[in-house]
Amino acid sequence: VLDWATDVGVRTLRQRTVGLNAGVREARDDVVAGGAQAVVIVPIDLPFITTAAIDDLIGALFEDPDPTVVLAPDRHGTGTNALALRPPNVIDVSFGVDSRATHRAAAETAGSAYREVDGPLSVDLDTPEDLVLVETIRAEGSHVG
């Protein structure tokens, strides 16, 4: 995948740390060193992701001139399915159990604006039940969000 990404002009980074949060921090530090003004973190397990959903996430990031945290919560209301940060280090990332509350508290402590977006980013694939839900939604022709 790294070779393919490089061939099509994508800048790549091979994770040197262990774990999701450490990897996100490593990537964030790399883009900050390159001059990034914001970062959007989107895990790979979002089966109903759309360009419109990402546009909503990014749009919410720039609704306020202040430092901003935008979060897409999971359908259970406890996790973080996508996170946008401006500037990229406005808060530390903390994906995992109860990450929604942790990210919100970090935003409040940092004095940054905090927003949430809903829609198709609320469905992720963490458990076998999640996969059944996704298959059911697809079979019924339903839409999320």
Side-chain angles (χ1 to χ4, degrees):
V1 171
L2 288 174
D3 290 341
W4 173 82
T6 301
D7 289 346
V8 298
V10 175
R11 187 168 155 254
T12 62
L13 174 70
R14 185 180 300 267
Q15 183 174 347
R16 295 182 189 340
T17 56
V18 176
L20 174 60
N21 289 314
V24 170
R25 286 181 200 110
E26 185 179 343
R28 180 198 56 208
D29 293 347
D30 184 67
V31 298
V32 166
Q37 303 289 316
V39 66
V40 177
I41 303 151
V42 183
I44 196 168
D45 67 341
L46 305 175
F48 298 116
I49 192 170
T50 63
T51 55
I54 298 300
D55 287 346
D56 289 345
L57 188 72
I58 294 170
L61 191 61
F62 293 97
E63 287 178 5
D64 193 302
D66 295 330
T68 303
V69 174
V70 181
L71 184 142
D74 69 2
R75 67 187 176 93
H76 305 290
T78 60
T80 303
N81 280 0
L83 189 65
L85 307 172
R86 186 179 51 86
N89 56 359
V90 65
I91 64 168
D92 193 20
V93 294
S94 186
F95 289 92
V97 176
D98 295 325
S99 62
R100 180 186 189 188
T102 303
H103 286 129
R104 183 180 188 130
E108 290 172 4
T109 298
S112 67
Y114 177 83
R115 292 182 176 42
E116 290 190 357
V117 296
D118 59 4
L121 299 179
S122 68
V123 178
D124 61 351
L125 296 172
D126 291 334
T127 67
E129 292 78 20
D130 293 336
L131 186 57
V132 170
L133 172 69
V134 168
E135 291 302 316
T136 300
I137 290 170
R138 286 190 172 147
E140 293 173 352
S142 301
H143 297 282
V144 177

